[in-house]
Amino acid sequence: MTGSRNAGAGRGRAARLRRTAVFGLSFLVLLVAGVGWGYLKLGGSIDTFSADGISDDRPPGSSQGQNVLVIGSDSRSGDNSGLGGGTGAVGRSDTAFLLHVYGDHEHAVAVSIPRDALVDIPACKGPGGQWTAPQHDVMFNGAFSVGETAEGNPACTQNTVEHLTGLRVDHTVVIDFAGFSALTSAVGGVPVCLPQDIYQRDLSPKRTTRGEKIFTKGPQTVSGQQALDYVRLRHGIGDGSDIGRIKRQQAFVASLIKRVKSRGMNPTTLLPLANAATDAMTVDPGLGSADRLLSFALSMKKVDLHNTKFVTVPWRYEGARVAIVEPDADALWAALKADRTVDGRDASGKGPGRSSDRGDGKDSRPASPAADAPVSGKGISVAVYNGTTVQGLAAQAAEFLRSRDFTVTTTATASSQDHTSTVIEYGPGLRNEAETTARLFAGARTTASGTAGIQVVLGSSYARNPSASPGAPTSSTLPSHVADEARSADDDPCADLSYG
């Protein structure tokens, strides 16, 4: 039956969650769910999480397409303990991606968000019903652990992704991997590739000896436990980072999609997968019925292998963590919001002009009037703080803001003077006003705060170039390296398998 499960059952299910194959299983779930033959099975096995924790302060829908957040957890207790890994009853998310299905329903892209990425986690609802204070510059995977329950906090992760991207998440899916071994076996195994021989210690680095060889260099087909080992593998390849593992997971799901489609979308091949696939997920209430899930999945049926892309949000190392690179990441989110593919094509499905009339793959239509309109601060009050050691910066910015009809209530020195980029902090109900303010500061980001009003905290980027594109939004041109590094579902499984 649909609906939220009781707490005891939720703990049992969360104990079976498995992070490592989130890509493959999630796409397989959608593919299997998208056929009418599985309809009756779907109706009996969809579970939902409560929507009470989804923030009221959400970005508006701005695309003809849809955004689906897919979350996996690294809890390895219960049934998962026998499949490798350690222990732990609290649900933690080590893998997540945002799947954008474009408005033409012929293109899709999955954007991976590294677990170690430093982000702002907005206020989230805990299991006791109380809302937490916002957290700043913390690891992304901490959002799923807010409340420290076995089933995790998918609503908090959704709030965090919406806050990070400025995109409205239409649906959220949490993946249970207890049945993953059976699924990979049911499709006859998944073709993968290894850049080198892999030994037991590469999978379990605490081993004192190298152990037996578990993978041989080159192409091979894996299923069951071996498939789990492949997608969990981190050490012994490249720099041993989670970034490298993300690349191999993207290669895995690409190969899995290709495998499923090559076997044919028919009852004989898909019915054996339907129960396991739908039992493997918990969804938001908006997907919590067979007809809703079926409708969404069918909207993806025209997305072919080459037009299914995988990218990672632009990033760089910051010590042992990962920093999201701006303005590159903002340009990626803007492209998705505008239904533009990573290589610059219009995939909105709006008819003439959806791709370039010039034949260069670029959209030749002019920017929208709203995007080009000058910024007006009428009715918006802000406080300005100097987050740098440059004297007089707050007064300079305040004068500029007043020239755009903003009301400046305060100018002062921020609590710390080591800000690199400008941050617009905003209280409840002021998201749109904060985004308007951010348009005046190149590379600025907005973040929710428990404090009322809007605070502009100036960074060194503003000190270096205070006149950078005033009055216009930050450029939404997506850097070429994002497209260059994208993987398609029809790519060679041996290509680009490691980082470092």
Side-chain angles (χ1 to χ4, degrees):
M1 64 181 176
T2 62
S4 300
R5 68 190 66 214
N6 60 50
R11 287 191 294 270
R13 183 182 181 114
R16 298 193 299 273
L17 289 175
R18 205 161 172 81
R19 67 172 182 199
T20 51
V22 61
F23 285 106
L25 184 54
S26 60
F27 272 89
L28 185 58
V29 163
L30 294 175
L31 286 171
V32 173
V35 292
W37 306 299
Y39 186 90
L40 294 177
K41 290 179 178 289
L42 290 171
S45 50
I46 303 173
D47 296 295
T48 63
F49 64 85
S50 172
D52 290 346
I54 297 176
S55 173
D56 291 331
D57 184 18
R58 304 183 64 191
S62 58
S63 167
Q64 298 297 313
Q66 294 191 76
N67 301 305
V68 181
L69 175 62
V70 183
I71 307 169
S73 167
D74 67 353
S75 175
R76 296 184 182 180
S77 57
D79 294 345
N80 278 347
S81 61
L83 296 173
T87 60
V90 175
R92 303 189 187 280
S93 173
D94 266 12
T95 307
F97 70 88
L98 184 66
L99 172 66
H100 180 72
V101 181
Y102 290 88
D104 64 0
H105 300 292
E106 296 177 1
H107 297 76
V109 62
V111 182
S112 299
I113 303 174
R115 64 175 189 176
D116 295 341
L118 296 175
V119 302
D120 293 338
I121 298 177
C124 289
K125 191 174 184 179
Q130 295 183 330
W131 289 80
T132 62
Q135 304 177 58
H136 303 288
D137 267 348
V138 294
M139 288 171 56
F140 171 71
N141 67 350
F144 195 70
S145 301
V146 168
E148 297 190 339
T149 62
E151 53 267 37
N153 196 330
C156 186
T157 302
Q158 177 174 322
N159 295 343
T160 301
V161 170
E162 290 191 336
H163 178 72
L164 171 67
T165 65
L167 294 164
R168 190 179 186 92
V169 174
D170 298 292
H171 299 296
T172 293
V173 179
V174 181
I175 303 298
D176 179 333
F177 294 102
F180 180 74
S181 295
L183 282 169
T184 56
S185 298
V187 298
V190 178
V192 299
C193 192
L194 275 298
Q196 64 196 56
D197 292 343
I198 300 297
Y199 295 84
Q200 288 177 313
R201 187 165 58 189
D202 297 323
L203 192 63
S204 304
K206 293 183 178 180
R207 285 183 60 98
T208 57
T209 62
R210 185 172 71 169
E212 298 179 0
K213 184 190 297 185
I214 56 177
F215 292 106
T216 301
K217 177 181 177 179
Q220 55 213 276
T221 299
V222 298
S223 62
Q225 177 68 56
Q226 198 175 32
L228 289 171
D229 289 344
Y230 175 85
V231 293
R232 192 172 71 242
L233 181 64
R234 174 176 175 182
H235 303 278
I237 297 182
D239 67 351
S241 69
D242 189 55
I243 299 296
R245 177 163 55 188
I246 286 173
K247 282 182 173 289
R248 288 185 294 281
Q249 291 177 346
Q250 290 173 344
F252 184 91
V253 66
S255 187
L256 176 57
I257 294 171
K258 188 185 302 185
R259 184 74 165 184
V260 171
K261 289 199 170 186
S262 70
R263 289 165 55 89
M265 305 293 284
N266 59 70
T268 302
T269 58
L270 292 177
L271 275 178
L273 306 179
N275 272 336
T278 53
D279 282 343
M281 64 183 175
T282 300
V283 302
D284 68 274
L287 278 180
S289 67
D291 56 342
R292 292 173 183 172
L293 184 60
L294 183 65
S295 176
F296 169 73
L298 286 174
S299 74
M300 298 178 61
K301 68 181 180 180
K302 294 192 294 182
V303 181
D304 69 18
L305 294 175
H306 183 70
N307 290 334
T308 303
K309 305 292 186 183
F310 303 88
V311 300
T312 302
V313 63
W315 65 278
R316 61 174 171 80
Y317 281 123
E318 187 163 296
R321 303 298 179 219
V322 170
I324 293 176
V325 174
E326 299 294 359
D328 295 7
D330 278 345
L332 174 59
W333 310 133
L336 300 189
K337 189 178 295 186
D339 266 336
R340 300 182 68 85
T341 64
V342 294
D343 59 354
R345 295 179 180 274
D346 175 16
S348 64
K350 293 180 179 178
R354 55 189 287 184
S355 60
S356 173
D357 293 332
R358 300 181 304 236
D360 60 1
K362 305 292 185 181
D363 186 8
S364 59
R365 293 175 300 169
S368 67
D372 288 339
V375 174
S376 171
K378 286 184 178 179
I380 302 177
S381 297
V382 300
V384 183
Y385 297 91
N386 187 352
T388 77
T389 56
V390 179
Q391 294 185 355
L393 200 62
Q396 180 181 347
E399 181 180 357
F400 172 56
L401 286 163
R402 291 189 184 104
S403 74
R404 296 304 180 103
D405 294 327
F406 286 79
T407 299
V408 179
T409 59
T410 303
T411 59
T413 300
S415 57
S416 63
Q417 284 75 56
D418 57 356
H419 290 261
T420 56
S421 60
T422 299
V423 178
I424 315 298
E425 300 179 352
Y426 62 92
L430 294 174
R431 181 188 188 111
N432 291 339
E433 290 84 351
E435 290 181 347
T436 297
T437 308
R439 289 181 60 198
L440 292 175
F441 299 90
R445 61 186 175 88
T446 59
T447 181
S449 169
T451 304
I454 296 175
Q455 295 80 42
V456 178
V457 184
L458 301 168
S460 57
S461 60
Y462 178 74
R464 289 192 301 270
N465 191 7
S467 61
S469 302
T474 302
S475 170
S476 61
T477 301
L478 193 60
S480 60
H481 71 81
V482 176
D484 294 342
E485 297 171 4
R487 176 181 289 275
S488 296
D490 62 349
D491 280 357
D492 182 347
C494 289
D496 192 24
L497 289 176
S498 64
Y499 174 82

